[in-house]
Amino acid sequence: MNRILLVEDESSLHDLLKMNLELDGNKVIGVKDGPSAIQRFNDEQFDLVILDIMIPGIDGYNVCESIRLKNQSVPILFLSAKNRVEDRIAGLKKGADDYITKPFNLEELQLRINILLKRSAALNQVHHSVKEFEFGGNSVNFEKHEAKGINGHFNLTKKEVLLLKLLVEHKNEVVSREKILQTVWGYSVYPSTRTIDNFILSFRKYFEKDPKNPKYFLAIRGVGYIFECP
């Protein structure tokens, strides 16, 4: 039995999809907003995610990116009324495997779901090499939560890995505080804490030769942070 996370806030469509997917032999967990989707994905194992874009709390694009930081292999299918070419391209760039626009044909949707599930099952049998990133004599192993910095080898926490991976994947781009909290922590509103600031300070201590004059992890006042790397 495949476990499917269904993220759709339109109640009638949500119920229709859930019923048909369960009739097809799947176990369906349904949620109707972005924060709930991120929380359920963090807490449980899924074989497929069906994701609307215009959902409350955190939009589907950010939910998709949050999932991809934690899991590169689970199939993600966008199901959205946003039908412009630019929307489909944006969804695929965020890490989705397929994109279907509303209104849709139910039989076509089921066929595409089955194709994604079969492809995923086949890929899961293939060994994937460990993903690492190197910069300025430093290195990070995202899978093993291990790194080498200016003081040698050490372990990273789960949140450190997720935040570092987000910054690396957007290297040389400013990443806003809001995006970091939505993607890494699953918050839809920025709390009045220095949570991210403290993580960035830790990264500077780990990887910067002169933490007080950082080269890689820079703060953009009032906006967010940027990881600068050639």
Side-chain angles (χ1 to χ4, degrees):
M1 180 181 292
N2 291 303
R3 289 177 54 82
I4 297 177
L5 178 60
L6 172 62
V7 190
E8 170 60 60
D9 66 321
E10 185 182 334
S11 294
S12 58
L13 180 56
H14 181 280
D15 294 343
L16 175 66
L17 288 170
K18 190 173 188 294
M19 179 184 69
N20 279 276
L21 290 168
E22 289 178 339
L23 287 173
D24 209 26
N26 303 291
K27 172 67 176 177
V28 181
I29 306 299
V31 298
K32 297 184 178 182
D33 62 79
S36 297
I38 292 174
Q39 186 64 54
R40 293 303 290 262
F41 190 85
N42 290 344
D43 292 343
E44 304 176 40
Q45 295 291 323
F46 293 98
D47 300 294
L48 176 75
V49 179
I50 299 175
L51 183 58
D52 190 9
I53 293 175
M54 295 180 288
I55 50 177
I58 299 174
D59 68 37
Y61 289 141
N62 279 319
V63 172
C64 180
E65 192 165 9
S66 177
I67 289 173
R68 281 291 174 248
L69 284 175
K70 303 170 180 69
N71 188 310
Q72 289 289 326
S73 60
V74 64
I76 299 176
L77 185 151
F78 271 124
L79 189 62
S80 175
K82 295 172 74 70
N83 58 10
R84 299 181 308 162
V85 172
E86 293 87 347
D87 299 320
R88 294 196 295 273
I89 290 174
L92 295 172
K93 282 185 174 180
K94 290 294 183 182
D97 298 274
D98 203 349
Y99 192 113
I100 297 181
T101 58
K102 302 174 184 177
F104 58 89
N105 180 279
L106 188 57
E107 184 178 1
E108 180 188 0
L109 174 64
Q110 290 175 321
L111 286 172
R112 292 202 190 192
I113 288 172
N114 290 335
I115 289 171
L116 290 175
L117 288 170
K118 288 178 181 178
R119 183 187 303 161
S120 177
L123 287 174
N124 285 338
Q125 297 177 6
V126 180
H127 174 72
H128 295 277
S129 60
V130 174
K131 292 197 172 183
E132 297 187 43
F133 182 78
E134 297 183 359
F135 62 101
N138 304 299
S139 65
V140 181
N141 185 314
F142 293 114
E143 185 172 284
K144 293 185 177 180
H145 292 201
E146 296 176 349
K148 186 185 78 170
I150 57 174
N151 294 315
H153 293 271
F154 61 99
N155 293 322
L156 294 164
T157 67
K158 182 178 180 180
K159 281 291 189 292
E160 285 176 333
V161 167
L162 294 176
L163 176 54
L164 186 55
K165 191 173 184 182
L166 177 65
L167 293 173
V168 167
E169 289 183 348
H170 291 273
K171 66 179 182 179
N172 302 317
E173 299 176 14
V174 177
V175 183
S176 69
R177 290 173 177 267
E178 180 183 24
K179 181 179 182 63
I180 289 172
L181 284 165
Q182 289 184 351
T183 306
V184 177
W185 275 269
Y187 297 159
S188 57
V189 179
Y190 179 63
S192 57
T193 69
R194 289 177 55 84
T195 302
I196 305 174
D197 301 319
N198 291 332
F199 274 76
I200 296 299
L201 288 174
S202 294
F203 290 162
R204 290 172 179 170
K205 292 177 182 178
Y206 296 156
F207 303 114
E208 301 276 8
K209 292 182 179 179
D210 183 359
K212 293 184 179 179
N213 295 287
K215 175 182 178 181
Y216 302 109
F217 299 93
L218 307 179
I220 307 300
R221 186 179 295 275
V223 182
Y225 297 92
I226 183 171
F227 172 67
E228 290 198 344
C229 183

